[in-house]
Amino acid sequence: MIIKALAFGLSLLLAGCAGASGQEPVKVTAGRFLSALASGDHGSACALLAPRARESWAPADCEGGIAGANVPDGVPETVSVWSEEAQVKTARDTLFLHESPTGWLITGAGCRHRNEQVYDCVVGGP
């Protein structure tokens, strides 16, 4: 019985660690995206967008579109991950991400609550 309890406790501990480490790639991607925007590197920011977020603009105009999108600057503060979907909050923004075969990509940025369940985003959407 003690061994079962220890095994269960260890599995909970490992699950907690996996959850925290699973947030790190999301936080890194959001941070890279926000840093690229802040430094005016719109090409790098566009490279971190999921295809459906880039569809906001003509294929050749992602850089121009994202430059004029007015995504608030900031640093990732809180991260929530649900399987292949994630949300990152900064002091002034909410970003949404999706895990693709190549890594995490931004699906929505510059997002504000419209009501409890709906967000309006200046880039893509949730």
Side-chain angles (χ1 to χ4, degrees):
M1 184 68 150
I2 292 175
I3 293 175
K4 285 183 182 178
L6 288 174
F8 179 70
L10 182 59
S11 68
L12 288 177
L13 179 64
L14 291 174
C17 291
S21 66
Q23 293 178 351
E24 193 60 26
V26 173
K27 190 173 187 176
V28 167
T29 299
R32 286 177 47 216
F33 176 77
L34 293 167
S35 293
L37 288 179
S39 68
D41 186 357
H42 301 119
S44 292
C46 284
L48 293 168
L49 290 176
R52 68 180 178 169
R54 281 193 302 266
E55 291 173 359
S56 301
W57 308 286
D61 199 29
C62 179
E63 291 183 36
I66 205 163
N70 296 321
V71 175
D73 60 355
V75 296
E77 294 179 357
T78 61
V79 177
S80 300
V81 179
W82 305 277
S83 186
E84 297 176 342
E85 305 300 324
Q87 180 187 67
V88 175
K89 291 190 175 191
T90 70
R92 302 175 350 154
D93 192 9
T94 301
L95 296 96
F96 293 92
L97 297 90
H98 175 77
E99 188 176 26
S100 74
T102 60
W104 288 94
L105 296 172
I106 307 293
T107 58
C111 302
R112 303 261 187 252
H113 262 119
R114 183 174 0 142
N115 60 42
E116 282 187 34
Q117 298 180 345
V118 177
Y119 281 83
D120 289 320
C121 302
V122 296
V123 176

